[in-house]
Amino acid sequence: MTIPLLETHDLVKDYEIGGEVVHACNHVSLSIARGEFVAIMGASGSGKSTFMNMIGCLDVPSSGTLLLDGVDTKTLDSDALAEIRNRKIGFVFQQFNLLARTSALDNVAVPLIYAGLGYAERRERAKAKLEEMGLGNRLENTPAKLSGGQQQRVAIARALVTGPLMLLADEPTGALDTQTSLDIMGIFQKLNDDGITLVVVTHEPDIAEYAARRVVFRDGKVIEDAAVKSRRRATAHA
Amino acid sequence: MPNILGSLAGWGVNVAIAMTALRTNLMRSILTTLGVMIGVFSVILAVAVGNGAQVSVTQQIATLGSNMAIVVPQPDSGSGPPRPTDRGRLTERDGRAILRQVSGVSAVAPQIRSSVQLVAPGRSATTQATGATPEYGVVSNVTASEGRFLTEGDVSAAARVVVIGQTVSDKLFADANPVGETVRINRVPFTVIGLLESKGSNLGNDNDDQIVVPITTLRQRLLTTATQGPDDVTLLFVGFDDEEALLAGQVEIKRLLRDRYRVPKGRINPFTVRTTTEIAETTGQVTQIFQAVLVAIASISLLVGGIGIMNIMLVSVTERTREIGLRMALGAKRSDIRNQFLVEAAVLCVIGGAIGLILAMVAAAIFQQLADFPAPIGIDTALMAVAFSAVIGLVFGGYPAIRASRLSPIEALRSE
Ligand SMILES: Nc1ncnc2c1ncn2[C@@H]1O[C@H](COP(=O)(O)OP(=O)(O)OP(=O)(O)O)[C@@H](O)[C@H]1O
Ligand SMILES: [Mg+2]
């Protein structure tokens, strides 16, 4: 048996609001293997983002265990967690989260700063990733001069530039129109074909059908976890 | 080795990030820098002016002469209302007694000082006249650069001769050589026999604005106040062989004068005896205090500048909380975030400090030109300016930077 890329045991996150405890994540035990493409669904407030933030090492669980590549994250200090975020995990956000007034190239190069790479190599790698995303002619554009779809592709290039094992995307198509959303899912499918593990939160059942496995949350608990039956294939990426 | 290169590259990146951030809010950055600039400017200038004062005072004291005691009569104002007889007296005979009885004394120079009016054809001047003996030249290091100084003969004959300072000469004779010319001092004609060697000016005090005449002549012909006795002097300069003799001699002079004037035990001396060593020490202390006060006042503006930096850095951190969260999500360590903001503060401070230093140097140069007052800015002062700005950056940028680095990634990312 190989070690799963990601494993949670009784993962809990409680928030206290006005003396009342909200179980945003309530004893979630889940295992995701290398190369999986998981869609996470559920009503608003069901705890999807809370779960994603914990497995992305952005947030600390109230209790329970999170194993990344077999390593218990409880044993890691903030520097080690930063290194995991830098090397092993790529994040894609609903609102793209690009640095304003900063070129696409420099945006994509940011994670490489923290990986300790020199200037020339940062530019080289960032350029290559942007070209892979079909943005070779947009290197010097600032986010304000890019469409939503283009911005999200810059963000994906940034998530991929350090060569992570896993991409975490919280509603990556939430701010995009239908066609652009399908383009993005096409990109994800291609990345998955190339071996990258993907976890994508989405509200839209259509979008979820591009994944291979579907996990549904309700009130902080997993209520459904099954393979997607009629999986969709996106034809190509733009 | 790769580690060092890596960390250097990391700092380079931080400078680049800082420059971008500062350019984004250019006006704000400039105004913040202005605070540090003014702070560094005033501290450096204060140090320079303080140094200048110290130099001036040292020079001024050097012009007095060395290993010398100055004896001045001092009215006893300790008991009851002052009466004319309270006025301390000092005579040439006291001077001779000191020369005879106090050991280590090389010369005594009795002097009478009086303000006089000088008239040369077509011009006039008011200055301070010192009635003196040749010993004055020996004890306080005064010589004639043209002509000659006073002689015993001038004094015993009460000759109407005068040695004038450079400033007086300029006023009365312009560029011409004054030696041999006649001047009227308080309407009495005198022959100029010499020009005093120039001692320059210090702290607005012109050492060349004076004349020297024989003490006898001054007493007989120029003094208007009749209150003085025939032998009275304004003060005595007592020259000693060396500093050791001076220290012992100061006490001896006091004892001798108390005896001579029969000052009862418990009454304070009707005269003061100050040594050049003492004068140098106290004025040195005074100028040091002067400098400390100046620097303290100037430091307040530096402090205000530093608080400005802290304020702007806190604003910057707050504004960019989301960016901080994002950078953390992309792999920035706490130290990376901390360094980023530290460098930003340091860049602000170093730019401000550099401009402040340059402005201070310009101001010091102008000051020197206009006020004839040295305000030296040495390498040490310049280094201090750089160190100052760096410390300000670290101290006042440190808190916001550490605060930024302590944010939790998710809290930072969620903030608006
Ligand atoms: N920082 C927080 N403080 C307090 N409560 C929180 C916090 N973050 C989330 N919650 C609560 O935890 C629960 C789960 O929130 P979460 O954001 O994970 O839901 P979600 O499934 O991502 O919803 P959506 O689909 O709207 O994004 C909600 O009830 C929410 O109010
Ligand atoms: Mg959410």
Side-chain angles (χ1 to χ4, degrees), chain A residues 48-49 170-171 201:
Chain A
K48 306 182 295 292
S49 296
D170 194 346
E171 298 191 40
V201 171

Side-chain angles (χ1 to χ4, degrees), chain B residues 16-143:
Chain B
I17 294 173
M19 293 312 285
T20 314
L22 296 178
R23 233 181 301 124
T24 309
N25 290 301
L26 190 60
M27 196 60 197
R28 191 168 86 186
S29 309
I30 290 173
L31 289 175
T32 312
T33 311
L34 203 62
V36 177
M37 200 182 83
I38 293 171
V40 170
F41 170 79
S42 36
V43 169
I44 297 300
L45 204 58
V47 171
V49 167
N51 283 343
Q54 220 136 0
V55 169
S56 284
V57 164
T58 315
Q59 282 171 358
Q60 178 71 38
I61 289 164
T63 64
L64 269 180
S66 52
N67 294 336
M68 183 176 80
I70 301 171
V71 187
V72 183
Q74 187 100 92
D76 173 14
S77 52
S79 51
R83 289 160 296 163
T85 46
D86 278 346
R87 191 182 178 288
R89 289 184 63 200
L90 206 60
T91 64
E92 283 190 61
R93 248 172 308 144
D94 296 329
R96 284 193 291 275
I98 288 170
L99 181 61
R100 258 196 329 271
Q101 295 177 30
V102 177
S103 48
V105 173
S106 58
V108 174
Q111 293 155 56
I112 303 175
R113 299 238 169 127
S114 177
S115 183
V116 293
Q117 173 84 33
L118 282 81
V119 180
R123 298 171 198 252
S124 70
T126 304
T127 191
Q128 157 117 338
T130 301
T133 58
E135 284 80 5
Y136 177 62
V138 178
V139 174
S140 65
N141 232 345
V142 177
T143 54

